[in-house]
Amino acid sequence: LIDFASPKRDVCFICGSDLSRLGTVSGRVSHIKRCKAKYSEILGSASIKNDNDLDCEFIESGAEPIEGTTDNPSFSRSVSLGTKQLRNPYDKNQWHGNASIILESKRAAESDNRQQFPENSHIQHNKQPQQTMLSRFFQAPVRSLTDVLMGSARRLKKEKYVSSGKKAFEPSVKARSNDWRSNLKYSNCPSYKKIPGTDFICDGFYYARSTLSQNYFLTHFHSDHYGGITKQWNEGTIYCSLPTANLVNQQLGVDKRFLHPLPMNSPTIIESRGKPVTVTLLDANHCPGAIMFLFEVGNKTILHVGDFRWDREIMMKMPQLKAFSNANPRLNEIFLDTTYCDKKYSLPTQAEAIEATITAVEEELAMAKKERTKTLFLFGSYTIGKERIYLSVAEHLGMKVYVDNRRFRILSALEWPKERMKMFT
């Protein structure tokens, strides 16, 4: 229902265009009627009762339809979608479009299935986890964790210089500022960032500009993929998973109205060049929030894997990938991560790496017990990544994991169950 007395009545609730240039109510109603006719294929059938009372009901069909991205996303309205009531998607703390409503309904439906890490029986979790100061474990001032972890590498590098006979060791100079990246905005976006048949750009934020596209897709929150996104981002809507959207908003300061988190494994229709494109998010088995995008463009299916870790046992449980393995339907195009696609890389599986780490930790603990000493295990990590290995060790030993305040805040944005968050201190 549109309230024309509302101070936010100047935006079309279908396409999001600025209506302030239209001075009369009848002019705005005419614009909305035209949008209804234009977007009826995408949004379903709409019914406009009269010029003063617009009651728009969208009929669901298959995938969940959403509004297309516009240059001025700042409208206020309430729409009935089936039995759901959509709130103003651009109010404070609201994601772009109807993302908040869809994610909330998805969360409610899957609330009983989110117990990925069973509660550790060795630990009594009666209180909300609180941060523990690292000084509790040390009497002397604590050095930077990065310095501790990288110290060995620096020593080896210095020894190499000394043994080579060079006169003096010169630490590596930090590279110049990223001025070269600012020039990318004025260069052509490479084809491997573009999804054929659409205006969709995937992990190509350095090239972002309003004339290129209004629809951008982010596979995960690693800097080599989100590079180009800044606090001033206003080039269009960024579609991604909910954990990634939380991190982009929290860590990079991007306004929520430019972020549209999509539900996992649920087809969603997004408009591109006036045509509906179905987008489905699949787990990439990489870092928290990392996903693969499955695009259905007309009769073509396109898979963009971002960064992913292939595991046949895990991947073949996804009905979409299992169907592709039988060529029913056929996967037409794939954007493939080939970082380790070479015979020279012979890497253990993740399960084998975790098992070897647990074995090494147990050996160290046995030695410490014999020598009556204490042992502190340090795990290096990116902004996100490596969580699975140190959580597996902690769960095996029935211990908690210490993280600093910054890390705890990042982990809190990943939408993990309370049982898992209670493993941190």
Side-chain angles (χ1 to χ4, degrees), residues 44-292:
S45 63
S47 173
I48 298 183
K49 296 182 177 179
N50 55 64
D51 290 350
N52 297 319
D53 183 11
L54 302 179
D55 184 10
C56 300
E57 297 180 354
F58 297 101
I59 300 176
E60 292 183 273
S61 58
E64 196 82 56
I66 65 173
E67 297 83 352
T69 304
T70 64
D71 293 333
N72 186 8
S74 58
F75 64 93
S76 177
R77 63 115 162 89
S78 178
V79 175
S80 174
L81 181 59
T83 59
K84 304 169 186 174
Q85 190 71 12
L86 303 190
R87 296 170 295 174
N88 173 13
Y90 298 111
D91 280 346
K92 188 176 182 180
N93 296 324
Q94 288 291 307
W95 299 114
H96 170 269
N98 56 5
S100 298
I101 301 298
I102 294 175
L103 291 169
E104 188 62 33
S105 61
K106 185 81 172 178
R107 183 184 288 111
E110 298 179 350
S111 60
D112 295 334
N113 300 322
R114 295 190 64 194
Q115 304 297 327
Q116 299 179 28
F117 275 62
E119 185 166 343
N120 196 322
S121 59
H122 300 282
I123 306 173
Q124 296 296 326
H125 300 308
N126 297 323
K127 297 181 179 180
Q128 193 70 14
Q130 296 181 351
Q131 284 297 92
T132 304
M133 297 303 293
L134 192 58
S135 56
R136 169 183 171 185
F137 303 99
F138 296 92
Q139 294 181 353
V142 184
R143 289 184 294 163
S144 165
L145 180 57
T146 301
D147 290 341
V148 173
L149 295 174
M150 298 301 295
S152 178
R154 293 193 184 99
R155 286 194 297 272
L156 290 173
K157 187 174 182 179
K158 188 172 182 178
E159 290 174 2
K160 183 179 179 180
Y161 268 82
V162 173
S163 60
S164 64
K166 294 186 177 181
K167 295 182 179 181
F169 171 68
E170 298 179 0
S172 58
V173 180
K174 194 172 183 179
R176 287 186 175 184
S177 61
N178 299 326
D179 292 340
W180 62 273
R181 291 175 176 170
S182 62
N183 295 327
L184 293 179
K185 184 177 287 291
Y186 305 101
S187 61
N188 293 327
C189 181
S191 59
Y192 57 84
K193 301 286 186 183
K194 300 178 179 179
I195 304 303
T198 73
D199 66 343
F200 296 171
I201 305 298
C202 193
D203 293 346
F205 301 99
Y206 281 124
Y207 308 92
R209 55 186 184 274
S210 58
T211 55
L212 175 65
S213 176
Q214 285 289 304
N215 299 306
Y216 295 85
F217 293 77
L218 175 59
T219 56
H220 62 289
F221 194 75
H222 279 164
S223 59
D224 56 330
H225 290 258
Y226 70 68
I229 301 177
T230 66
K231 186 177 182 179
Q232 290 75 35
W233 173 268
N234 61 356
E235 302 293 354
T237 302
I238 300 174
Y239 296 93
C240 56
S241 66
L242 180 56
T244 299
N246 286 334
L247 290 170
V248 172
N249 171 251
Q250 175 180 289
Q251 301 300 116
L252 303 182
V254 175
D255 195 317
K256 277 190 173 183
R257 66 194 177 106
F258 295 112
L259 297 169
H260 194 119
L262 298 173
M264 296 294 296
N265 306 307
S266 296
T268 303
I269 292 177
I270 301 176
E271 179 197 349
S272 175
R273 298 172 179 168
K275 297 181 180 180
V277 177
T278 301
V279 183
T280 307
L281 271 59
L282 306 176
D283 189 353
N285 193 33
H286 179 50
C287 65
I291 48 90
M292 302 182 288

Side-chain angles (χ1 to χ4, degrees), residues 264-330:
M264 296 294 296
N265 306 307
S266 296
T268 303
I269 292 177
I270 301 176
E271 179 197 349
S272 175
R273 298 172 179 168
K275 297 181 180 180
V277 177
T278 301
V279 183
T280 307
L281 271 59
L282 306 176
D283 189 353
N285 193 33
H286 179 50
C287 65
I291 48 90
M292 302 182 288
F293 286 110
L294 177 61
F295 300 97
E296 298 175 54
V297 187
N299 296 324
K300 295 180 64 176
T301 53
I302 303 170
L303 181 65
H304 193 298
V305 304
D307 283 353
F308 83 130
R309 181 191 294 107
W310 172 256
D311 186 308
R312 186 175 184 83
E313 183 178 350
I314 295 175
M315 299 297 192
M316 285 297 101
K317 290 180 181 178
M318 300 181 191
Q320 298 89 345
L321 300 187
K322 187 174 182 180
F324 291 142
S325 68
N326 299 321
N328 184 28
R330 183 179 181 83

